[in-house]
Every structure is written in structure tokens, then in C-alpha cells.
Amino acid sequence: MALVEIRNIHKNFGTLEVLKGIDFSVDEGEVVCLIGRSGSGKSTMLRCINLLEIPDSGEIRVFGENILENRDVNSYRAKVGMCFQQFNLFTNMNVLENCVRPQIKVLKRTRKEAEKKALQLLAKVGMLDFSRASVNTLSGGQKQRVAIARALCMDPKLMLFDEPTSALDPEMVQEVLNVMRELAAEGLTMIIVTHEMRFAREVSDRIVFVDDGIIVEDDKPEVIFTRPKSPRTAEFLRAFM
């Protein structure tokens, strides 16, 4: 069953056409990685799914609803977690508060309930010992793991990751990818924009290659990486790997 279904979406920024008629779907429990050059439209696709950008035309259905007609954006986003390149944590709060406040505000949980959930998920991502730490004292890898815990606190049915390791030093990348591998193994539906090709090959059910605002190829990892059908895909992988 398709959890996400995109039909013919177009998106312009001024005179620049970024998405040129995208058709794309993700089934419940699937892990799909979007790959392609910088500026190809991958992150814009993700931002449209989370309503951070609104397509100029087309339809996006998530959980069976046309989200472009959804007036309750906060309620929708509570079911769709998103992790960004730059973490987007509240720097004036400690780690625990970053995970507790959204639950209280959006899900109307009590503080006791929210703290219990937050501590469970901080433990899951290996950040329990830092629950009282200031966000400003954390490394990039630690911040991203807190951002993942915060998103998971909302019990999302779908997780979106926009190049979650691109702002990290190489030694910090692995600790974040390990958390994402665990989530994939647990069956969480995920759409991931990434340049980590080995990770994409390992965790994905499907790889989608985006180039110049269109989906060029959409297939299983073993096909994309060993016998891509499009010369454009093959050229990208040769250059990247």
C-alpha cells in the first residue's frame, strides 16, 4: 500500500524550474534513498512532502489524503518526522527539553509522559547521558542523533532525512548512519536524501536517481549500482564512486 504518492508535481523558484513533473510513490515500511547531483531537486521533493514548499501544480497524497488541501499543517507534521542537514535544534534548551516540548505542545502529552518517551528515545540513539546537556556543547553527530530522537518522540509514521550527514565530520557520519540502519531494520518508512552511496546500497529497498528535476531511474539497489538502465545514472555513479 502506498503511504506516499506524488503525481506530476512541478515546482519553480522564479524562472528556475526545479521539479519538472515528478511521479513517485513509497509503500509502507519501505526505505527509499534519493540520490543525484546537488541542485537536482531531491531536497525540494522532500520539502514538498513536508509542506515546507508548496508545489505549483500536481498532487501529493500521504496516508491517503491530499496534503495540499490539508489545513492542519501541525497535525500533519506530527506524523511526518524530518531531520535536516543543520539539525534545527532549539539552542536555548537542553537536550531533554528539545525532545519534550514538541510532545507537550503538539501531542498534548503530560510532562511526565513526554519525559518518559524522550528518555527512552535518547537511550535508543545513545544520547541518554547527555539528556541534561546544553545543545551548544554537543558535537555535530550528537546533535543529529538528538534531532532524530526528537522526531521519533512524535511517533511519526514516516521519516524524511535531508542529507543528515552532510554537515558532519567524517568520523561522526557513522554514528548517525548506525541509528538510521536500526530504524530501517525496525520497518520505519523512510525517504532519505543522501550522498552516502554505501549506506544507500545497504539499507534501501529502492534507489531513486534524480537529475535536472526529473526521476531518471527508480529501481532496487542491486540494479542501480550494478546494471543501471540509464547512461545518466551510470555516469553519476562513476563520477561519485
Side-chain angles (χ1 to χ4, degrees):
M1 176 185 172
L3 194 72
V4 178
E5 195 168 3
I6 292 175
R7 299 174 184 165
N8 196 32
I9 63 168
H10 291 253
K11 178 64 181 176
N12 300 315
F13 293 107
T15 58
L16 178 64
E17 188 178 16
V18 178
L19 300 180
K20 303 174 180 178
I22 295 286
D23 291 294
F24 172 67
S25 66
V26 177
D27 288 343
E28 188 171 358
E30 266 196 312
V31 177
V32 178
C33 282
L34 308 181
I35 65 171
R37 297 172 180 83
S38 296
S40 60
K42 310 180 302 296
S43 293
T44 302
M45 282 176 61
L46 219 57
R47 291 172 67 83
C48 286
I49 295 170
N50 202 36
L51 296 176
L52 292 168
E53 301 288 352
I54 304 299
D56 296 306
S57 62
E59 183 178 66
I60 302 176
R61 303 188 73 83
V62 183
F63 315 123
E65 297 181 15
N66 185 347
I67 64 169
L68 301 180
E69 297 174 352
N70 189 335
R71 301 291 180 183
D72 192 351
V73 174
N74 288 334
S75 174
Y76 169 70
R77 287 190 185 144
K79 296 182 287 186
V80 181
M82 186 157 182
C83 288
F84 301 85
Q85 298 175 37
Q86 299 297 337
F87 324 125
N88 287 21
L89 296 173
F90 302 114
T91 56
N92 61 328
M93 300 180 192
N94 68 20
V95 166
L96 183 62
E97 280 301 302
N98 264 275
C99 296
V100 165
R101 290 285 181 90
Q103 297 181 69
I104 293 173
K105 183 175 180 181
V106 178
L107 300 182
K108 310 303 180 187
R109 286 178 176 153
T110 65
R111 172 162 285 276
K112 185 177 179 180
E113 290 170 334
E115 285 193 1
K116 181 180 178 181
K117 183 79 170 180
L119 292 170
Q120 287 173 345
L121 287 162
L122 287 169
K124 182 185 184 71
V125 301
M127 290 299 294
L128 183 60
D129 290 346
F130 296 85
S131 61
R132 302 292 175 181
S134 165
V135 167
N136 295 318
T137 65
L138 303 181
S139 70
Q142 290 169 333
K143 287 177 182 176
Q144 193 61 282
R145 283 187 283 157
V146 172
I148 292 171
R150 181 178 67 176
L152 293 175
C153 280
M154 307 301 285
D155 296 325
K157 304 293 187 292
L158 169 66
M159 278 292 294
L160 309 176
F161 292 90
D162 187 9
E163 298 192 31
T165 60
S166 68
L168 303 182
D169 293 332
E171 63 269 22
M172 298 175 186
V173 168
Q174 205 56 46
E175 63 191 46
V176 173
L177 295 182
N178 286 341
V179 171
M180 294 172 66
R181 284 187 182 93
E182 288 183 22
L183 297 177
E186 291 169 7
L188 180 63
T189 309
M190 298 194 288
I191 306 174
I192 305 165
V193 172
T194 185
H195 284 114
E196 300 288 341
M197 294 299 144
R198 183 178 298 176
F199 169 77
R201 186 172 186 170
E202 178 187 328
V203 305
S204 299
D205 296 298
R206 283 166 38 224
I207 302 278
V208 176
F209 173 57
V210 184
D211 193 39
D212 195 26
I214 64 170
I215 291 177
V216 175
E217 195 159 352
D218 179 347
D219 217 321
K220 294 179 180 178
E222 57 266 31
V223 174
I224 293 288
F225 284 102
T226 62
R227 50 186 190 280
K229 297 180 179 69
S230 168
R232 289 161 73 178
T233 310
E235 180 188 359
F236 168 78
L237 291 172
R238 274 197 304 272
F240 211 92
M241 299 179 71

